[in-house]
Amino acid sequence: MTTTTRSPRHRKPAVARASRLVGTGTMIRLALRRDRFRLPAWIAAHGLLVVYIGSALPQLAPTKEDLAGISSLLSQPVGRMFTGPAFGMDDVTYERFFAAGYVPYLFILAALMNIMLVIRHTRKEEQTGRAELIRASVTGRHTALTAALIVALLANIAAAALVIVLAVMLEYALVGSMLVGFATGLTGLAFAGVAAITAQLSEFSRSATGMAGAVLGVAFVLRALGDMVAVGGSALSWASPLGWAAQTAPYVEDRWIPLVLLAGFAAVTITAGFVLQRRRDFGASLIPPRPGPAHAAASLGHPLGLAYRLQRGGMLGWGSAILILGVINGLFTQAMLDAGEDMPPQLSAVFGSEQLLDGYVGFLGGFTGIFIAAYVVYAMQTLKSEEDAGRADTVLATAVSRMGWLSTHVVVIALGSVVITAVTGLSTGLGAATVTGEWELVGSLFLAHFAVVAAPLTVLGLCAALFGLVPRVVAPVGWLLVALIGIVELFGDLLDLPEWLRTLSPLWHLASVPVEGFETMPMMVLLGATLVLLAVGLAAFRRRQVNVV
Amino acid sequence: MTTTPAISIRGLIKNFGSTRALDSLNLEVNQGEVHGFLGPNGAGKSTTIRVLLGLLHADAGTVEVMGGDPWKDAVALHRRLAYVPGDVELWPNLTGGEAIDVFARLRGKLDRTRRNELCERFDLDPTKKARTYSKGNRQKVALISALASDVELLLLDEPTAGLDPLMEVVFQQAIREVKDAGTTVLLSSHILSQVEVLADRISIVRQGSVVETGSLDELRHMTRTTVIAETDHPAPHLAQLSGVHDFTEQEGKVQFQLDGDSFDEAMQSLTPLGIRSLVAHPPTLEQLLMRHYGDAATGAEEAPR
Ligand SMILES: Nc1ncnc2c1ncn2[C@@H]1O[C@H](COP(=O)(O)OP(=O)(O)OP(=O)(O)O)[C@@H](O)[C@H]1O
Ligand SMILES: [Mg+2]
């Protein structure tokens, strides 16, 4: 014990620099231990995507002609918007189809994995105060961030290696597969760098995650708009890290240069993260706090007012992101119609209609529905945080009943979902009408959005039921369901997903207005299920104990 | 009305998985008294309070709070009580002032003048965001909110953990005021001087059950007093008395521990020897507790499983 060499007082400055990193090894082992299930699951998800697509494609399109038939799905502007620059679709192969249609989602997966990983091991730890004990022990100022980034690096290497090995096993070309793997890993690292910056900006892990997510969103939009302009992308595509990753053009042009850009971006952002960290105090943010009101507004004295106040931030954040996405999609309508003249019949697989415009309108409703479902799960997760932090204890120790506490939050979230859906529908419609001059689009897009709102509400019901019964699983089950809803909605027909899997998505049961006529029955069934689930949740929460592990 | 105790717990058992946190705990708190709730770490104080709040469900036993069942009548009871946890978590983006108002209003009534007065006395700036508060200031938020609510019962779980000595004085004064107004207080604390000054009665909990209850005087009576006496003649025969323990004699000075009910006998043996000086120390609360806290360590090993 007394033989430790760490005695900062006797250090020379050169060594003091290194002391900011003392304990990194221990912190890495701690992080790996804590993430021993989570991280392998994220990495496995990368592999699963490769394997699933690799084996589904030959079934979906058994011959080269079949594949050529559906390849225009990806090379059309709409397709390019949602996937990427669509290299090599005029001479399509399975590996090229894979690279053009699905690899972009591999990049997004990697980005999400890294954002959550870095924030989880840096800002979240500081916010909860756990890091305080660690920082007070023999660890340096930069230890936590360094350890988190090294863990991220390890995870990215593992994910990249897994992707490469699996792609090669599918008999995809080696060089292209290596590009896919490296681009995935480096995109991950680039967003680890983004998260290293946002972790310094806010005191809250949630807003730090949100800011990094917003950067990912902007990167996606820039790439989408850039790729929409032309096959192979345009200048705008090169303004986005996601664009660089796609510009490697695996299995077609096999470019290595964009990887340098990605690596450079990662280096710059990571350096910026460390620089910013040096400028701030432990637990503090770079955005200084301001004083607020000394007295609570009258509305805060009621459980509903309190629930609204606590949910407001998340609602505004998610709401504006969904709204912006909707408006962009709306503004895109004319470009899509222009491209529609030589639209292949297979596009109906995505839009479910020969009538291109109708199909697009219906598709946008469902698209928004996915994100509303994600918002719902996010919002319901905050209830678990309230309980874990002990704040639910304090509120429930007042005259607020269990029913009152849970139901007010649920009502606020439900109203939030409906309002976000309605506003997004209207704005998307206005965007579409502005570019096309067809004002009835406002109504039809509003209806298309309105027609799907029962699906996120069902998700809300399920989360409430889980919160009452087994609060631990609200987040994992909720996010799994959101992923399922997204996959079924976006790729259900493309991947020819089995029927039973589709029925698990509440969104799948709803009619896609205006392609199909509005149906009251499925909507009523879902709303009925929602009410039952809510009742189960409330009853179970009344019966269970609060804040017991 | 005056006959119902504010809190009455009989044979309360609470398990967390295989650990038994509360083991046939009995506790009675009379109306209008300040009841000190003491015990070593992990003894079950917080668990008891969370059962009293209806946040935890009792596995066995009867629990009554102001005549009601805390699990079933939670809301009605919570209108009449206020709770201060030992580790106050606030919403980081609300100010302290907002949090005070929220808790008090959710409870029912907020006495605005008293609230402002308490903010002043506790020297709390209510305009700061809760995330910028120190631990002591977060604690003050919960305390002010509880004290500004017009309630019959205060459940305080280490309410002053983190308060500075000056604030401790303010706290004790505030508790005396609410006590004078007839409020019942259950005060769990590790600050013995605080309990010694404030509490009318004390319960000591150890390993999930209350091992001693009573006023400080009663508890003292059950424990030994330290006596130091100087006598003209040596007094070795005193050691033979049944109520005398740890007897030592040095240069005409004797020192021994005396059972509470053996005073008379011991004094009668001492008087004939010619007492030159006599000092008797009643046990401090600390000494009282050390007996139980100390036992806790050994008791844990002996505990039947
Ligand atoms: N949610 C829980 N799950 C499992 N065990 C628990 C839980 N809450 C408390 N315990 C256990 O119950 C016992 C009593 O804990 P409690 O918090 O009531 O002690 P305490 O007297 O308040 O201690 P302290 O003075 O440290 O606050 C402890 O052994 C503790 O580990
Ligand atoms: Mg405790």
Side-chain angles (χ1 to χ4, degrees):
Chain A
M1 263 233 265
T2 47
T3 57
T4 42
T5 51
R6 296 179 189 122
S7 126
R9 197 178 297 182
H10 305 297
R11 285 250 166 101
K12 294 186 183 77
V15 193
R17 178 175 286 270
S19 76
R20 290 192 205 124
L21 300 178
V22 167
T24 305
T26 317
M27 291 297 292
I28 292 172
R29 281 195 295 278
L30 176 66
L32 289 175
R33 161 83 188 150
R34 288 180 55 202
D35 279 358
R36 64 193 182 281
F37 298 121
R38 206 187 302 235
L39 221 43
W42 272 103
I43 293 166
H46 288 74
L48 212 63
L49 187 78
V50 177
V51 171
Y52 188 80
I53 303 298
S55 50
L57 275 183
Q59 288 174 21
L60 193 64
T63 67
K64 191 152 179 177
E65 287 70 44
D66 295 329
L67 198 61
I70 58 171
S71 72
S72 43
L73 275 174
L74 302 178
S75 55
Q76 290 307 318
V78 189
R80 293 205 301 274
M81 179 177 173
F82 287 109
T83 55
F87 287 102
M89 285 301 103
D90 37 8
D91 182 17
V92 70
T93 59
Y94 287 131
E95 56 191 18
R96 288 179 173 183
F97 197 89
F98 163 71
Y102 304 97
V103 167
Y105 289 94
L106 217 46
F107 300 153
I108 292 174
L109 193 65
L112 290 175
M113 171 175 85
N114 281 271
I115 290 173
M116 294 189 187
L117 188 157
V118 169
I119 302 288
R120 182 167 64 241
H121 289 294
T122 55
R123 181 51 77 173
K124 179 113 191 252
E125 289 296 285
E126 269 186 59
Q127 187 195 335
T128 54
R130 284 192 288 263
E132 191 140 333
L133 278 175
I134 294 199
R135 180 72 77 80
S137 65
V138 188
T139 57
R141 180 204 307 278
H142 291 321
T143 303
L145 183 57
T146 312
L149 288 170
I150 290 176
V151 171
L153 180 69
L154 295 176
N156 288 323
I157 291 174
L162 185 65
V163 165
I164 294 171
V165 168
L166 291 173
V168 169
M169 277 166 62
L170 288 165
E171 298 181 350
Y172 293 173
L174 178 65
V175 175
S177 302
M178 283 172 67
L179 274 171
V180 170
F182 289 162
T184 304
L186 283 171
T187 306
L189 205 59
F191 281 92
V194 170
I197 294 178
T198 62
Q200 317 304 324
L201 298 182
S202 169
E203 286 174 22
F204 303 106
S205 62
R206 244 184 250 150
S207 35
T209 309
M211 280 190 261
V215 174
L216 179 63
V218 170
F220 184 88
V221 168
L222 287 177
R223 194 225 28 84
L225 296 177
D227 288 345
M228 190 196 81
V229 175
V231 170
S234 62
L236 206 52
S237 318
W238 287 86
S240 154
L242 287 177
W244 302 334
Q247 289 298 330
T248 51
Y251 310 114
V252 187
E253 308 206 357
D254 289 336
R255 299 178 187 147
W256 292 86
I257 298 296
L259 293 186
V260 179
L261 285 175
L262 276 176
F265 183 84
V268 169
T269 48
I270 287 172
T271 312
F274 280 108
V275 170
L276 292 176
Q277 174 151 286
R278 210 166 53 223
R279 287 160 176 260
R280 69 174 180 88
D281 291 338
F282 177 81
S285 71
L286 286 167
I287 303 163
R290 290 190 312 268
H295 296 271
S299 62
L300 272 181
H302 186 271
L304 194 62
L306 180 62
Y308 170 68
R309 175 66 189 269
L310 298 180
Q311 294 289 343
R312 191 175 64 185
M315 198 186 286
L316 288 177
W318 278 86
S320 39
I322 294 171
L323 180 68
I324 291 169
L325 209 58
V327 171
I328 290 172
N329 288 337
L331 292 174
F332 181 71
T333 312
Q334 188 58 46
M336 210 233 10
L337 285 178
D338 294 343
E341 277 133 40
D342 43 10
M343 192 71 80
Q346 283 85 354
L347 200 60
S348 57
V350 177
F351 292 158
S353 168
E354 309 282 304
Q355 296 296 312
L356 186 57
L357 187 59
D358 284 356
Y360 188 62
V361 168
F363 172 78
L364 288 188
F367 190 70
T368 301
I370 303 169
F371 287 93
I372 301 282
Y375 157 68
V376 162
V377 174
Y378 168 88
M380 284 303 288
Q381 246 182 304
T382 61
L383 293 192
K384 181 78 170 49
S385 318
E386 286 292 295
E387 187 176 351
D388 290 346
R391 291 188 287 259
D393 273 29
T394 330
V395 171
L396 290 172
T398 68
V400 177
S401 66
R402 312 275 186 102
M403 287 281 265
W405 185 75
L406 181 54
S407 61
T408 47
H409 276 276
V410 166
V411 164
V412 168
I413 297 168
L415 286 178
S417 320
V418 173
V419 170
I420 297 173
T421 309
V423 173
T424 304
L426 271 182
S427 321
T428 308
L430 285 173
T434 317
V435 292
T436 58
E438 293 183 39
W439 289 96
E440 62 269 21
L441 277 177
V442 180
S444 62
L445 269 162
F446 180 77
L447 279 180
H449 280 72
F450 176 75
V452 299
V453 80
L457 291 179
T458 314
V459 176
L460 176 63
L462 181 72
C463 288
L466 291 176
F467 183 75
L469 293 166
V470 238
R472 237 173 326 120
V473 305
V474 170
V477 173
W479 287 115
L480 210 63
L481 184 59
V482 170
L484 181 88
I485 292 173
I487 290 169
V488 168
E489 177 70 9
L490 298 175
F491 308 117
D493 294 312
L494 218 55
L495 294 178
D496 207 12
L497 292 177
E499 183 88 8
W500 64 266
L501 197 63
R502 300 185 195 207
T503 56
L504 291 180
S505 162
L507 190 54
W508 187 75
H509 297 275
L510 294 168
S512 176
V513 179
V515 181
E516 304 161 72
F518 179 76
E519 285 180 59
T520 338
M521 203 45 199
M523 185 167 179
M524 286 303 161
V525 172
L526 283 188
L527 290 180
T530 304
L531 290 180
V532 171
L533 286 165
L534 285 178
V536 169
L538 288 170
F541 184 57
R542 266 182 72 177
R543 241 153 253 150
R544 83 165 163 85
Q545 311 187 89
V546 179
N547 196 6
V548 177
V549 275
Chain B
M1 179 71 185
T2 41
T3 49
T4 33
I7 295 172
S8 156
I9 301 178
R10 314 225 143 269
L12 172 59
I13 292 179
K14 177 73 209 167
N15 299 314
F16 291 111
S18 60
T19 35
R20 175 155 289 194
L22 298 180
D23 193 2
S24 322
L25 181 129
N26 299 317
L27 178 70
E28 193 144 307
V29 177
N30 300 324
Q31 279 193 23
E33 77 177 0
V34 175
H35 196 103
F37 200 35
L38 301 172
N41 292 135
K45 302 180 294 295
S46 300
T47 305
T48 307
I49 292 179
R50 294 184 75 222
V51 170
L52 290 173
L53 285 167
L55 294 171
L56 298 178
H57 193 270
D59 290 333
T62 56
V63 181
E64 274 190 19
V65 176
M66 297 180 285
D69 176 341
W71 182 258
K72 291 208 196 93
D73 316 324
V75 174
L77 290 175
H78 292 177
R79 273 186 230 290
R80 300 161 58 194
L81 63 83
Y83 163 60
V84 177
D87 208 348
V88 177
E89 281 292 339
L90 301 172
W91 299 284
N93 51 348
L94 262 64
T95 64
E98 284 180 307
I100 292 174
D101 293 4
V102 166
F103 290 133
R105 290 209 193 115
L106 291 179
R107 227 170 260 137
K109 24 202 183 237
L110 165 74
D111 184 342
R112 199 157 256 267
T113 30
R114 179 148 173 79
R115 177 251 199 219
N116 290 342
E117 178 219 335
L118 283 165
C119 276
E120 210 134 284
R121 280 168 65 187
F122 276 102
D123 193 22
L124 180 86
D125 176 358
T127 64
K128 280 193 179 166
K129 290 270 162 67
R131 65 166 174 271
T132 66
Y133 277 142
S134 63
K135 171 171 169 49
N137 281 336
R138 287 205 305 271
Q139 207 67 39
K140 286 181 197 170
V141 166
L143 266 175
I144 293 172
S145 174
L147 291 169
S149 306
D150 178 20
V151 290
E152 298 160 48
L153 173 65
L154 287 175
L155 297 175
L156 310 179
D157 191 357
E158 299 182 41
T160 61
L163 289 200
D164 65 43
L166 211 65
M167 291 304 132
E168 177 71 38
V169 174
V170 178
F171 167 75
Q172 293 184 6
Q173 184 55 39
I175 292 297
R176 274 191 215 103
E177 285 165 20
V178 294
K179 191 194 158 194
D180 290 345
T183 309
T184 311
V185 181
L186 179 65
L187 172 64
S188 152
S189 177
H190 289 303
I191 301 173
L192 301 181
S193 57
Q194 175 187 84
V195 177
E196 212 157 1
V197 194
L198 291 177
D200 302 308
R201 292 202 311 140
I202 292 168
S203 286
I204 300 172
V205 57
R206 205 196 86 197
Q207 290 179 9
S209 27
V210 169
V211 287
E212 231 159 274
T213 280
S215 68
L216 196 51
D217 284 344
E218 284 165 356
L219 294 188
R220 278 184 176 142
H221 190 72
M222 290 190 287
T223 356
R224 295 165 189 166
T225 301
T226 309
V227 179
I228 303 169
E230 264 182 286
T231 47
D232 292 334
H233 308 286
H237 64 284
L238 227 65
Q240 264 75 62
L241 293 181
S242 61
V244 172
H245 309 269
D246 301 336
F247 182 87
T248 56
E249 183 170 14
Q250 223 175 20
E251 296 158 20
K253 238 185 193 173
V254 292
Q255 174 166 355
F256 53 87
Q257 308 279 319
L258 191 56
D259 281 344
D261 49 9
S262 310
F263 259 88
D264 196 33
E265 203 183 339
M267 290 308 120
Q268 287 190 6
S269 320
L270 269 177
T271 321
L273 304 174
I275 304 175
R276 274 192 277 144
S277 76
L278 180 71
V279 186
H281 297 294
T284 60
L285 182 55
E286 190 173 336
Q287 281 169 330
L288 276 177
L289 284 178
M290 280 314 164
R291 268 185 35 211
H292 297 294
Y293 284 31
D295 285 359
T298 45
E301 283 149 37
E302 291 159 15
R305 196 67 305 265

